[in-house]
Amino acid sequence: MLLIGAAIFVLGMVLENAFTINESVLLGIFIVGYIILGSSVVLQALKNITRGQIFDENFLMTIATIGAFIIGDAAEAVGVMLFFQIGEYFQGLAVRRSKKSITDLMDIRPDFANVKRNGEIIKVSPDAVEIGDIIVVKPGEKIPLDGVVIEGEAMLDTKALTGESVPRKAKVSDEVLSGCINQNGLLTIEVTKSFGQSTVAKIIDLVEHASSNKAPTENFMTTFSRYYTPVVVALAVLIAVIPPLFFGGMWADWINRGLIFLVISCPCALVVSIPLGFFGGIGGASKRGVLVKGSNYLEALGNLDVVVFDKTGTLTKGVFKVTQLLPADEFTKEQLLELAAKAEAFSNHPIALSIMTEYGKDVDKTTLTDYNEISGHGISVSADDKVVLAGNDKLMRLKGVPFAESAETGTKVYVALDHVYAGCIVISDEVKKDSRDAIAALKARGVRKTVMLTGDTPEIAGAIAKELALDEVYGGLLPEGKVEKLELLEGQKRGKGKLAFVGDGINDAPVLARADVGIAMGGLGSDAAIEAADVVLMTDEPSKLAEAIDVARFTKRIVWQNIVFSLGVKGIFLLLGAAGVASMWEAVFADVGVTLLAVLNATRVMGKK
């Protein structure tokens, strides 16, 4: 239709300028061209008027071009509509391509699943697979549903979910997530979640609905457009009417100026490019393994003043490990560890498991008798007719064992053999490799205060805070205590600064909800994290937060570039239009051209490295 309309317009222009032709015939040609090119615009304007949406680009173009017909500029009316439609076509193309780029970033939706049924492998839709079904994933295929590997071994590309380029190894009994790509092996997987509850479905749903949570900048521009457009329409009417009525101006000239003013005034560059910029920012963040639930949270990430961290599972690995063996004079480290392993052999406590892991050998449980777990103290067990004690300082005092209390930081397990002190084992929660770098990166990006809240002892919390160079630390807190401290820190924000809380998303729901931005760590496979938080870091790397801040700030820069550029150009052309310098052609450029340039600028967000 665009090509046909363009051909008729060219025909009309040739006939008008190169031949002598009846004006009625010429007008008829231009009217046909206008109907082909402009009917959709006029109809959309009428539909919007019935919905109460009067002042949009369709209304402005309809009034301007019909006005051009009325004052005898039929060729200009059709030409302007043609230019407008060409601009709209390229603008739509740019928007569609940019959205497709974001969709491609999140192209993790599986197309099919190979299910084992009645001894045969059949290809079905992932929706048709049930929990407990056995699926086969061949090299190069996406894992369609969450499950557990029951046969095979392979390297998995998790880049689409985590932003990590290094493949992960999956073997028997490992959990695997939908959306990962099998790179080399044949995997047989037992499905543990339906497709609707799978990781891939939740991520896709989260990204698709993120645009419903608008940023303050978006809301401001919506409000601005609501008042701006009626004001400029009123000004256009005054430009068209006042000079001819009171100053002897030519009606045709001033009506034309008013129509030009109308076309220039349309704020579509802002209406289209600003949401697209934020949408691109959300897509760019997802490419890095950071899921943002709305542009309001993306904008808040760029204004962080205080960042509060949980300790376990966020800054530390949440896995206990033996860090020191401190034997008494008459014992070796090996003897101390062996005695502790015998005492902890029957326990499933994380501390016991860390000791057993460090020992690395099987304990002959047939040699152990009289096992007794003393609540709040530790364990007593007989090994080869000798009593082994392993527990805290309270156990040593309870049993009357003389011992040297350790000043080391961490959880301390004191060990005794037949009431003779054998030594102390220090167990600590390991700090993540990039935690210190993450804190330094936040400081470098202008975050004024970094704080840690934890239920661990103040002594252990203080040692970790010192190691990571945190500004403040509060230990020994219950969940309600964390909320109280967070509310206290809320009052210490400066200006428009925001407070973020970073936790593991499992037991931090009250604090995540209370913060300006709730950020869940290690959301990969964690339903609780995806539900509770505003932002989900898909891996266990705190440094991802700094990357998210970079994307948020780059997005904000692009958005404000578009705001200043669009309003600046329009302001200049509005003055030129009112002065009679700008023609209708320049007016359409000021509308469609500026919009197209703003859209292209917005697409830069997705290419942010």
Side-chain angles (χ1 to χ4, degrees):
M1 295 296 285
L2 189 62
L3 291 172
I4 294 169
I8 293 173
F9 170 69
V10 171
L11 174 65
M13 292 297 291
V14 171
L15 292 173
E16 183 180 36
N17 293 287
F19 299 92
T20 302
I21 189 168
N22 183 284
E23 286 189 7
S24 297
V25 174
L26 192 61
L27 180 62
I29 291 172
F30 281 125
I31 288 174
V32 170
Y34 184 82
I35 290 170
I36 291 171
L37 291 168
S39 57
S40 60
V41 175
V42 176
L43 288 172
Q44 190 61 50
L46 293 172
K47 281 182 184 177
N48 290 345
I49 289 170
T50 60
R51 296 171 187 155
Q53 302 169 2
I54 299 174
F55 301 111
D56 69 345
E57 59 186 344
N58 296 295
F59 171 79
L60 298 177
M61 287 303 301
T62 299
I63 295 298
T65 51
I66 290 175
F69 270 111
I70 292 170
I71 62 175
D73 287 334
E76 189 170 84
V78 180
V80 164
M81 188 60 80
L82 173 63
F83 190 17
F84 175 74
Q85 291 285 37
I86 290 171
E88 287 290 293
Y89 171 77
F90 282 111
Q91 175 187 309
L93 188 66
V95 171
R96 285 193 299 275
R97 282 189 175 177
S98 63
K99 289 193 173 184
K100 184 179 183 300
S101 297
I102 296 169
T103 305
D104 289 346
L105 293 177
M106 295 303 297
D107 185 21
I108 54 178
R109 187 191 299 274
D111 301 315
F112 61 88
N114 299 313
V115 187
K116 273 189 176 181
R117 286 182 181 159
N118 301 320
E120 294 183 8
I121 296 177
I122 56 173
K123 187 178 287 189
V124 300
S125 165
D127 294 315
V129 181
E130 298 177 356
I131 295 172
D133 279 352
I134 305 300
I135 59 173
V136 174
V137 183
K138 301 171 186 174
E141 292 181 350
K142 289 175 191 156
I143 296 176
L145 300 103
D146 295 2
V148 177
V149 178
I150 58 173
E151 188 180 329
E153 195 171 284
M155 298 301 291
L156 301 182
D157 179 355
T158 66
K159 188 160 63 254
L161 299 183
T162 67
E164 289 182 342
S165 57
V166 181
R168 290 184 179 180
K169 187 175 183 180
K171 57 186 185 302
V172 174
S173 78
D174 283 352
E175 287 188 15
V176 289
L177 302 174
S178 51
C180 297
I181 298 172
N182 180 1
Q183 289 191 325
N184 55 9
L186 185 69
L187 292 177
T188 304
I189 299 167
E190 182 178 346
V191 175
T192 55
K193 288 182 183 176
S194 64
F195 181 71
Q197 294 299 313
S198 66
T199 301
V200 66
K202 292 197 173 196
I203 292 173
I204 291 169
D205 180 70
L206 188 152
V207 173
E208 287 178 349
H209 289 88
S211 57
S212 61
N213 295 316
K214 295 187 181 297
T217 305
E218 285 183 276
N219 290 327
F220 166 75
M221 289 315 305
T222 303
T223 306
F224 173 80
S225 299
R226 193 179 301 140
Y227 293 104
Y228 160 85
T229 311
V231 167
V232 293
V233 169
L235 287 174
V237 172
L238 291 175
I239 288 169
V241 172
I242 297 299
L245 279 179
F246 299 102
F247 303 104
M250 296 291 291
W251 279 100
D253 179 40
W254 285 99
I255 287 173
N256 190 47
R257 292 190 193 191
L259 295 175
I260 290 168
F261 194 89
L262 265 186
V263 174
I264 296 169
S265 68
C266 182
C268 52
L270 301 176
V271 172
V272 174
S273 68
I274 291 174
L276 182 64
F278 280 111
F279 187 56
I282 290 169
S286 69
K287 182 173 71 171
R288 291 162 177 77
V290 180
L291 297 183
V292 184
K293 288 191 176 180
S295 52
N296 53 335
Y297 302 120
L298 186 69
E299 190 165 56
L301 279 173
N303 298 319
L304 291 184
D305 181 54
V306 180
V307 177
V308 183
F309 292 91
D310 179 40
K311 180 182 76 72
T312 308
T314 304
L315 294 173
T316 65
K317 293 181 179 179
V319 178
F320 286 106
K321 184 179 180 182
V322 173
T323 52
Q324 290 190 76
L325 293 168
L326 306 171
D329 292 339
E330 298 174 11
F331 295 85
T332 64
K333 288 183 178 180
E334 292 73 18
Q335 289 173 326
L336 173 63
L337 187 57
E338 182 181 0
L339 290 172
K342 289 179 178 179
E344 304 286 5
F346 294 101
S347 176
N348 288 318
H349 191 280
I351 290 175
L353 296 177
S354 67
I355 289 173
M356 297 306 296
T357 301
E358 185 69 19
Y359 183 55
K361 304 174 188 174
D362 289 330
V363 174
D364 184 3
K365 295 179 182 178
T366 59
T367 63
L368 305 177
T369 57
D370 300 327
Y371 178 84
N372 182 24
E373 190 166 331
I374 305 166
S375 180
H377 292 74
I379 293 167
S380 170
V381 67
S382 292
D384 299 321
D385 297 325
K386 293 183 179 180
V387 177
V388 178
L389 300 174
N392 55 25
D393 55 335
K394 294 178 186 175
L395 179 65
M396 298 294 108
R397 292 189 181 96
L398 178 70
K399 297 296 184 178
V401 178
F403 74 106
E405 193 163 350
S406 173
E408 298 295 330
T409 301
T411 300
K412 288 164 284 232
V413 177
Y414 296 99
V415 181
L417 179 65
D418 272 349
H419 290 78
V420 175
Y421 179 59
C424 174
I425 298 175
V426 181
I427 296 169
S428 304
D429 186 2
E430 278 190 287
V431 172
K432 290 179 181 176
K433 287 182 180 178
D434 73 337
S435 288
R436 187 177 177 84
D437 291 339
I439 302 300
L442 292 177
K443 289 290 186 182
R445 284 159 179 76
V447 173
R448 185 175 54 86
K449 184 181 288 188
T450 53
V451 184
M452 185 173 74
L453 307 180
T454 177
D456 215 332
T457 65
E459 176 193 30
I460 294 173
I464 290 173
K466 186 177 180 181
E467 181 181 346
L468 298 179
L470 291 162
D471 297 311
E472 293 180 17
V473 59
Y474 300 95
L477 298 174
L478 296 172
E480 56 268 25
K482 289 183 181 180
V483 175
E484 288 174 11
K485 289 295 181 187
L486 196 79
E487 289 174 347
L488 185 70
L489 292 165
E490 278 273 4
Q492 298 174 13
K493 293 184 301 185
R494 288 184 181 174
K496 295 182 180 179
K498 301 294 183 184
L499 181 144
F501 179 82
V502 189
D504 58 14
I506 308 301
N507 55 6
D508 293 316
V511 210
L512 285 167
R514 182 65 185 81
D516 295 325
V517 186
I519 303 170
M521 285 281 305
L524 197 58
S526 169
D527 296 341
I530 291 176
E531 292 295 329
D534 307 316
V535 177
V536 181
L537 308 183
M538 297 302 286
T539 65
D540 282 320
E541 300 166 282
S543 56
K544 288 282 186 184
L545 180 54
E547 289 186 41
I549 290 173
D550 289 342
V551 172
R553 290 180 177 172
F554 186 69
T555 302
K556 188 175 181 179
R557 281 200 300 275
I558 294 291
V559 165
W560 277 101
Q561 284 172 11
N562 282 343
I563 290 172
V564 172
F565 171 69
S566 301
L567 293 180
V569 172
K570 281 187 179 291
I572 293 168
F573 274 87
L574 283 172
L575 292 174
L576 293 175
V581 177
S583 70
M584 190 70 78
W585 300 96
E586 283 97 350
V588 173
F589 168 75
D591 175 38
V592 179
V594 168
T595 302
L596 185 58
L597 290 173
V599 165
L600 293 173
N601 190 39
T603 61
R604 291 172 55 213
V605 177
M606 288 165 289
K608 168 71 175 167
K609 297 296 182 184

